[in-house]
Amino acid sequence: MKGIKMRSIVLSIALLAACSQVFAASNVGQCVYPKSKPGKGGRLEFIKPIYISPTPAPSEKQVLTTFDAFTIKAEANGFVQLATVPGVEDAPIKTIGWVKLSDFKILDLRNCN
């Protein structure tokens, strides 16, 4: 009986560890901010241009021009779909488009406003 209890405890711990890794593998719901550096005069500058695309593959694209925090709505092939963060004005959440995840840094959720 003692061996069965020990096996079930070990199995439960292994299952819990496996489930937590699955959830940690996704960036959906994370808060991100464009990678930037201080420029001349103290203003922020993008480290490099960040291109926004309507699909998760390089296609027609626009350049991101705002330094805002975004949430990740979906993820595919190294690209993430960005959405605006609800603010004080309670503006509707808008989908921005697809960008490379490597162009952004992940913020703590408490800093996502």
Side-chain angles (χ1 to χ4, degrees):
M1 189 71 159
K2 190 175 183 180
I4 293 174
K5 285 184 180 180
M6 185 58 110
R7 286 183 194 152
S8 58
I9 290 171
V10 170
L11 183 60
S12 298
I13 291 171
L15 184 60
L16 182 63
C19 289
S20 66
Q21 289 176 353
V22 169
F23 290 120
S26 175
N27 289 305
V28 174
Q30 290 290 333
C31 179
V32 293
Y33 190 81
K35 289 184 179 176
S36 57
K37 63 182 180 180
K40 294 181 181 180
R43 292 189 175 174
L44 285 179
E45 295 178 352
F46 292 103
I47 291 179
K48 63 180 187 174
I50 298 175
Y51 297 104
I52 305 167
S53 176
T55 63
S59 62
E60 60 182 78
K61 40 189 164 177
Q62 299 175 302
V63 177
L64 181 68
T65 57
T66 61
F67 289 101
D68 286 329
F70 300 97
T71 57
I72 296 176
K73 205 172 160 184
E75 189 171 16
N77 303 325
F79 287 84
V80 292
Q81 187 179 37
L82 298 181
T84 58
V85 176
V88 178
E89 308 85 35
D90 290 327
I93 296 173
K94 295 189 314 185
T95 300
I96 303 298
W98 292 86
V99 296
K100 288 184 183 177
L101 179 58
S102 60
D103 291 335
F104 289 80
K105 60 184 175 182
I106 295 180
L107 298 176
D108 290 333
L109 290 177
R110 68 176 180 262
N111 297 331
C112 202
N113 54 15

